[in-house]
Amino acid sequence: AEKIRTAVEEETYPEQIHQTISLGVTQFQRNEPMSQLVNRADEYMYHAKQQGRNQVYAGEATDAGQA
């Protein structure tokens, strides 16, 4: 995820646009509904944005609701 974030930040875009991304990363848990996985990753992405944007927040499944 950090390599993706860095690649986006370092890419040259038309009209001198400076682009960055924030990513939320988590791990799939056995027998977990896909919707729960996506919701957790989304929560972690918002956590990354709240910490100043342009960063990666990787949490554990047990952290859900605490980010």
Side-chain angles (χ1 to χ4, degrees):
E2 183 62 28
K3 286 182 180 181
I4 294 169
R5 187 204 61 78
T6 301
V8 169
E9 182 180 32
E10 292 175 352
E11 182 65 33
T12 302
Y13 297 94
E15 300 181 23
Q16 304 300 320
I17 294 172
H18 182 72
Q19 188 71 40
T20 63
I21 60 172
S22 295
L23 299 167
V25 180
T26 191
Q27 185 173 349
F28 177 74
Q29 301 297 307
R30 185 177 301 172
N31 299 320
E32 175 179 37
M34 186 59 66
S35 61
Q36 188 174 343
L37 173 72
V38 171
N39 286 341
R40 190 170 55 253
D42 189 54
E43 180 181 331
Y44 294 163
M45 180 209 44
Y46 282 106
H47 181 79
K49 287 183 175 189
Q50 291 170 353
Q51 297 301 307
R53 300 188 182 227
N54 192 31
Q55 56 185 286
V56 175
Y57 180 80
E60 299 293 327
T62 57
D63 295 339
Q66 299 175 23

